[in-house]
């Protein structure tokens, strides 16, 4: 809930002030880019742990089964909740429809979610603005991702 502060243009001698409560609560979003459909599948949570990521994988599973997709290839980074023992065991049990590829460590420039979605989300929604409640921030983030609807072509 602390505002994400970025550079802004102001007149000489002026300074932008952003009043906030100083709360450290966060809104976490798990985002999956769907290729070649150029769609976005996302889930929002108050926490970011293995259970939340597994719930996101379950929503992807429902999406895959509903559309009769035979194989889904998931490319993920090495975040702690992606490589936890619990998550790896879950992904191994889903081997009939899911193939997982891990990006190299410390390479966020290869992660399209980071470069195409998160960067724009922070810049367009979170930068230099204070939201009063978590629900208002959640609503704005969901609306932004739904309106985005698809991700920019590479």
């Amino acid at each position: 809930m602390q505002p994400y502060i970025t550079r802004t243009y102001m007149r000489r001698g002026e300074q932008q002030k952003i009043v906030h409560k100083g709360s450290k609560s966060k809104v976490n979003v798990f985002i999956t880019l769907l290729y070649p459909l150029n769609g976005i599948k996302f889930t929002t949570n108050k926490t970011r742990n293995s259970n939340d990521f597994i719930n996101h994988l379950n929503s992807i599973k429902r999406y895959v089964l509903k559309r009769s997709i035979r194989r889904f290839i998931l490319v993920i980074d090495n975040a702690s909740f992606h490589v936890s023992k619990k998550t790896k065991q879950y992904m191994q049990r889903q081997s009939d429809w899911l193939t997982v590829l891990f990006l190299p460590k410390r390479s966020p420039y290869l992660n399209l979610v980071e470069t195409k979605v998160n960067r724009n989300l922070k810049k367009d929604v979170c930068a230099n603005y204070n939201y009063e409640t978590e629900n208002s921030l959640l609503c704005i983030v969901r609306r932004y991702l739904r309106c985005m609807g698809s991700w920019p072509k590479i």
Side-chain angles (χ1 to χ4, degrees):
M1 294 302 296
Q2 287 184 338
Y4 173 71
I5 308 296
T6 61
R7 285 190 222 166
T8 57
Y9 292 102
M10 292 165 275
R11 292 184 187 163
R12 177 169 264 174
E14 290 183 7
Q15 184 175 8
Q16 183 178 10
K17 295 190 189 313
I18 301 170
V19 180
H20 63 92
K21 297 176 184 175
S23 169
K24 292 192 178 200
S25 58
K26 294 183 178 184
V27 171
N28 297 293
V29 182
F30 292 99
I31 301 171
T32 301
L33 302 177
L34 306 170
Y35 182 83
L37 306 172
N38 283 356
I40 294 177
K41 186 79 178 152
F42 67 94
T43 54
T44 56
N45 296 301
K46 290 189 177 188
T47 59
R48 184 171 39 184
N49 57 35
S50 298
N51 291 331
D52 297 327
F53 183 64
I54 289 170
N55 289 338
H56 178 66
L57 288 177
N58 283 330
S59 73
I60 293 173
K61 182 178 182 177
R62 287 190 297 274
Y63 177 87
V64 166
L65 296 177
K66 185 176 180 181
R67 285 161 182 76
S68 301
I69 298 171
R70 288 180 286 183
R71 174 69 45 197
F72 190 85
I73 300 172
L74 182 65
V75 180
I76 55 178
D77 58 15
N78 289 282
S80 60
F81 47 85
H82 291 157
V83 295
S84 72
K85 191 175 186 179
K86 186 175 187 176
T87 303
K88 284 187 175 183
Q89 288 172 350
Y90 175 82
M91 290 189 290
Q92 286 174 352
R93 289 193 307 267
Q94 306 303 316
S95 62
D96 55 326
W97 66 274
L98 180 66
T99 301
V100 179
L101 301 174
F102 287 94
L103 291 172
K105 292 182 179 181
R106 295 180 187 87
S107 56
Y109 54 90
L110 294 176
N111 188 345
L112 291 178
V113 172
E114 292 290 336
T115 58
K116 300 287 183 186
V117 181
N118 287 354
R119 188 177 295 163
N120 292 331
L121 178 66
K122 283 183 178 180
K123 181 181 66 149
D124 296 341
V125 174
C126 302
N128 302 328
Y129 189 81
N130 180 37
Y131 293 93
E132 290 296 320
T133 63
E134 280 184 46
N135 283 339
S136 62
L137 177 58
L138 261 173
C139 289
I140 297 295
V141 167
R142 286 182 185 135
R143 185 180 313 142
Y144 180 84
L145 290 172
R146 284 190 194 112
C147 288
M148 193 177 189
S150 63
W151 51 288
K153 301 221 185 233
I154 303 171

